[in-house]
Amino acid sequence: MKTPMLAAGLFLTLTPAAAPLCAANGFKAMAKELSRAAKSAGIERVAVLPFVPADGSSAKDGWNISEKLMTQVVRVGKVQAIERFLLRNLMEEHHLAQTGMINPATLKKIGRVFSVEAVVTGSFVSLGREAVVNARLINVETGVIIAAAERQVDRDWFDAPGSGLADGRPAW
């Protein structure tokens, strides 16, 4: 009788302290989950596309989210990731950076150009200094969503000291 109550009390005591830790490690956890799913599906190479704001936030925040997630995918090391700069050129060429629109033909083109089998993309909602990120791992040939993940993450690029960001947005 006392053990379940003790466990519940311990859980309630630790939960508020664990919340910031979860937000800080959200990109790492998301990268692990999506990389594991990719490996299980036989996918070896992925591209991480910019994330689309679902709330009117800046599209530049979507590039920042993809950068953070890309770094963690590389660190996890279960799949290979393509260089972001090359991807950015293709995205701008197709005006995808502004629209967030990705149709099946574009997915296949990205797959052919970069020899990737899947892309990671999704949406986000800004919550002040945090964001809720919804990511999807999508097979470029079929358009089928292989895995999806949602995490609350820190927006540490937002108004960071020494970043030169007057309005909280990247200057690029």
Side-chain angles (χ1 to χ4, degrees), residues 146-169:
I146 298 165
E150 178 184 64
R151 295 287 187 286
Q152 188 166 333
V153 300
D154 288 332
R155 289 179 64 210
D156 58 1
W157 65 88
F158 181 77
D159 203 18
S163 66
L165 306 179
D167 66 351
R169 303 281 185 228

Side-chain angles (χ1 to χ4, degrees), residues 100-165:
M101 300 288 292
I102 300 174
N103 61 39
T106 303
L107 278 177
K108 286 182 181 181
K109 182 174 183 177
I110 290 170
R112 280 192 310 274
V113 170
F114 296 108
S115 299
V116 297
E117 299 144 312
V119 296
V120 176
T121 192
S123 63
F124 67 96
V125 174
S126 298
L127 304 170
R129 298 231 179 253
E130 295 182 341
V132 175
V133 177
N134 289 286
R136 293 178 299 283
L137 176 69
I138 305 168
N139 181 304
V140 295
E141 283 297 316
T142 65
V144 171
I145 298 172
I146 298 165
E150 178 184 64
R151 295 287 187 286
Q152 188 166 333
V153 300
D154 288 332
R155 289 179 64 210
D156 58 1
W157 65 88
F158 181 77
D159 203 18
S163 66
L165 306 179

Side-chain angles (χ1 to χ4, degrees), residues 28-138:
K28 184 176 183 178
M30 188 176 285
K32 283 182 178 181
E33 184 177 343
L34 295 172
S35 295
R36 210 173 303 130
K39 201 66 171 170
S40 293
I43 291 172
E44 295 181 17
R45 289 188 69 177
V46 300
V48 181
L49 304 180
F51 282 63
V52 178
D55 62 354
S57 295
S58 171
K60 291 177 183 175
D61 286 346
W63 279 100
N64 286 326
I65 288 169
S66 66
E67 179 71 16
K68 295 278 191 182
L69 187 55
M70 172 66 80
T71 297
Q72 294 304 319
V73 167
V74 170
R75 285 182 177 171
V76 167
K78 291 188 182 289
V79 294
Q80 295 176 340
I82 66 141
E83 170 52 42
R84 242 176 81 79
F85 181 74
L86 299 173
L87 177 61
R88 184 177 191 138
N89 290 341
L90 179 68
M91 297 295 288
E92 287 174 353
E93 175 185 327
H94 289 279
H95 306 290
L96 298 175
Q98 293 86 18
T99 66
M101 300 288 292
I102 300 174
N103 61 39
T106 303
L107 278 177
K108 286 182 181 181
K109 182 174 183 177
I110 290 170
R112 280 192 310 274
V113 170
F114 296 108
S115 299
V116 297
E117 299 144 312
V119 296
V120 176
T121 192
S123 63
F124 67 96
V125 174
S126 298
L127 304 170
R129 298 231 179 253
E130 295 182 341
V132 175
V133 177
N134 289 286
R136 293 178 299 283
L137 176 69
I138 305 168

